[in-house]
Amino acid sequence: MQIEGAEFRELQLQIFRTRMAFRRCMQRTLKKKEAGITFEMLQVLSCLWREQGITQQVLAERTAKDKACLTNLLGNLEKKGYVCRKEGSQDRRSKLVFLTPEGEQFWKDLLPVLDEVYTQVGHIIGLEHIQSMLSGLKNVHDVLESL
């Protein structure tokens, strides 16, 4: 069976639609829980929860944000007291980003709310289907990265 470009374009479009639906779902959850942050801020906090002390450049790449957008997000998160930026020890122009103690506590408080959404969606979709989609998407990623 030959794959036509139209099928791959449809896959790309569906991935984009799914991402947007996920964003809207998370934004509704954040609003309902009066978290006081946006989905984009959540992405930054989530990335920092996994690894702190990374450069703004690395954070921009991992969150798929341009530098200007990330600078704005970090400024807003700093105003809320959730993150801080420090000069890098080897390159003073390079800023390293960290969660503050308040940011760590906020994340710990928010995690059960997010897990509730993931669990609910997981029950509806089913573990086997999720694993299958994950495997397929990893395969697509690897192919695209190799071209």
Side-chain angles (χ1 to χ4, degrees), residues 68-80:
C69 178
L70 182 65
T71 298
N72 187 35
L73 287 169
L74 289 173
N76 289 331
L77 287 167
E78 279 180 321
K79 287 177 190 171
K80 291 181 176 296

Side-chain angles (χ1 to χ4, degrees), residues 46-111:
S46 178
C47 189
L48 290 172
W49 184 63
R50 288 185 198 95
E51 182 180 5
Q52 292 201 52
I54 56 178
T55 64
Q56 288 185 214
Q57 177 64 39
V58 169
L59 191 55
E61 291 167 5
R62 291 186 184 166
T63 57
K65 305 286 180 225
D66 63 49
K67 288 181 182 181
C69 178
L70 182 65
T71 298
N72 187 35
L73 287 169
L74 289 173
N76 289 331
L77 287 167
E78 279 180 321
K79 287 177 190 171
K80 291 181 176 296
Y82 296 153
V83 301
C84 63
R85 291 180 267 194
K86 299 177 183 175
E87 285 183 359
S89 59
Q90 288 146 359
D91 183 357
R92 299 175 89 151
R93 295 169 297 164
S94 177
K95 299 286 185 188
L96 303 178
V97 186
F98 297 86
L99 287 174
T100 63
E102 294 84 2
E104 288 182 24
Q105 186 59 52
F106 177 74
W107 181 252
K108 287 176 186 173
D109 294 342
L110 193 58
L111 201 53

Side-chain angles (χ1 to χ4, degrees), residues 7 10-11 16-17 43 51 60-61 84 88 95 97 103 106 118-120 130 134:
E7 284 86 5
E10 182 61 29
L11 173 63
F16 178 76
R17 287 178 181 152
Q43 288 179 296
E51 182 180 5
E61 291 167 5
C84 63
K95 299 286 185 188
V97 186
F106 177 74
Y118 300 144
T119 299
Q120 184 178 8
I130 290 172
L134 184 57

